[in-house]
Structures are given as C-alpha cells and as structure tokens.
Amino acid sequence: MLEDGLSYPLSGDNTLGRIVIGSLLVAGSILVIPMFLLFGYLVRVLESTARNEPEPPEFDDWGKMFVDGLKGVVVTLVYGILPFALIGVSLTLSVGGAGSGNDAAAGILGGVGVIGLLASFVGLFVLYYLVPAALTNMAVEDSIGAAFDFSLLKDVLLSFDYLIAWLIPFGIAFVAQLLTSALVTFTFGIGIILVPTVQFYVNVSVFYMFGSAFGKVTGISPSRSASTADIA
C-alpha cells in the first residue's frame, strides 16, 4: 500500500500539469475558493481510488469539484462538532477555575477541564479515523447523506486494511515535515516555493490509501473508464 500510494500521484498523463495545478491550489488554500477546489479534488481522489482507477483524476468539471469540496467541509465540520466543542468547554472550565480565586473551585474545574481535553483529543483521533471513510462513501454515492451511513461505515472502520491506511500516513507526514523543513533551511528559504508541491503530493498519496482501502473492503464496482481499461 505504501509503495503504491507514493507512486500514485505520478501515474498517468499530464502529471506535471496536474501537480502544478494542485500546488497552486495548496498555496492559495488560505483563500476560500482554492481551499474548496483542493478539497473537492481530494474527494475525487477518494472516489477514483475506491473504484480502483489506476490514474489520478484530472482537474476538470471545476463547478462539481467546488461543490464536492463544500460538501466535504460540511461533513468534516459535522463530525468535528463534538470534539471541538469539548475542547472549547474544557479550556473555558480551566481558565474559569484559574481565575475564580477559589483554590477548591480551581482544582475541581481544572481537573474537569483536563479530563475534557483528554477526551477531546481522543475524539480528534476518532475524527481523523472516521472522516476519510465517510468522505469516500459520500463521493462514491454522490450523496452527502452517505457520509453518515454507519451501517456501511462500521465494516470499513473495523477492517484491518483501513487501519493500515490510517496508520501509514503518520509516517508519511513525519517524513514530509522533515522534507519541508530541509527545503526551507538548507536552501536559505528558496525551497519554500516547493512546500505546496510536497503537501499536494502527500495529500494525494494519503487519500489514495484511504480510498483504495475503502474500495477493497466494500468491493464496490469500478467506474466505466476503469472497466474499459481492464478489458483493453
């Protein structure tokens, strides 16, 4: 899975153009529209890899890609409500306890706040584990409601293939961080222009792993283009 994931972004035709466009979207993701377009493309990667398509999707049908990105952000926010709410409440309790002037109250509220923070961090790990599968099912079914189809998602989430797809990106992210730091440090800042390219490449690789694991577990049908390619 790791080798296939790392080679996937370089597969197919127009690789350079695809990576340049993706890098520009990463660089512009601090703005609203490029962020949604980038997320929409990554959702498209989830679908194509789940359907076992051998090449990364192209940047086309920009309107749909924007809508897919918007839906992906909505799904992520919905799943993130609980852990982020816990973080907010926990920080509020901790700060409120510290500023109460009462040692007993500060101790109780501080303890509750710490427990809440620990629970919220666990929630964030669950969020990171669950959301890619939810987004993949949304992309495959082309329905935002499919992101909350827990009867299907539980089979994916409890599978060994998906667990591996979840664990590998931690190592990739660590290496990517070292690479981006080296690009900035050892090129006197000039290499910073390549950081968006590294980030795009890593994102596509990671989303490939999630999508392919989802497809393997669910056994969904390949797309028409993939079927035609297999016959050929």
Side-chain angles (χ1 to χ4, degrees):
M1 179 180 290
L2 176 59
E3 182 178 352
D4 291 339
L6 292 177
S7 62
Y8 174 76
L10 299 177
S11 304
D13 300 326
N14 194 28
T15 299
L16 179 59
R18 188 168 58 243
I19 290 179
V20 168
I21 294 174
S23 301
L24 291 174
L25 290 179
V26 171
S29 59
I30 57 173
L31 305 175
V32 175
I33 293 179
M35 178 189 70
F36 286 127
L37 289 173
L38 176 64
F39 204 2
Y41 180 79
L42 294 175
V43 168
R44 187 176 291 182
V45 170
L46 289 173
E47 180 187 6
S48 64
T49 53
R51 295 190 183 280
N52 199 31
E53 295 185 4
E55 301 177 359
E58 295 297 331
F59 284 99
D60 55 20
D61 199 354
W62 290 82
K64 186 177 187 308
M65 194 160 61
F66 179 85
V67 172
D68 287 343
L70 180 61
K71 292 192 295 185
V73 169
V74 170
V75 168
T76 303
L77 290 176
V78 170
Y79 275 114
I81 287 175
L82 182 58
F84 285 115
L86 276 173
I87 290 175
V89 171
S90 300
L91 290 176
T92 300
L93 288 175
S94 298
V95 173
S100 65
N102 185 306
D103 291 341
I108 293 173
L109 292 176
V112 173
V114 170
I115 293 173
L117 282 175
L118 291 175
S120 63
F121 288 140
V122 172
L124 288 175
F125 271 98
V126 173
L127 176 70
Y128 174 61
Y129 191 77
L130 192 155
V131 167
L135 291 176
T136 307
N137 202 39
M138 179 195 77
V140 168
E141 299 295 335
D142 196 21
S143 167
I144 197 169
F148 306 97
D149 182 3
F150 297 107
S151 61
L152 182 143
L153 291 177
K154 65 180 179 63
D155 294 331
V156 176
L157 298 173
L158 295 175
S159 69
F160 180 74
D161 290 301
Y162 189 81
L163 175 63
I164 295 301
W166 180 75
L167 290 173
I168 291 178
F170 284 104
I172 295 178
F174 177 74
V175 174
Q177 183 60 46
L178 291 178
L179 179 58
T180 53
S181 298
L183 284 173
V184 174
T185 303
F186 297 112
T187 62
F188 304 100
I190 298 176
I192 196 172
I193 62 174
L194 295 177
V195 171
T197 301
V198 173
Q199 293 176 341
F200 176 72
Y201 193 101
V202 168
N203 279 323
V204 173
S205 295
V206 168
F207 275 64
Y208 164 89
M209 295 178 197
F210 281 121
S212 60
F214 183 97
K216 184 175 181 180
V217 174
T218 59
I220 64 173
S221 301
S223 66
R224 181 177 301 177
S225 60
S227 300
T228 303
D230 290 340
I231 294 174

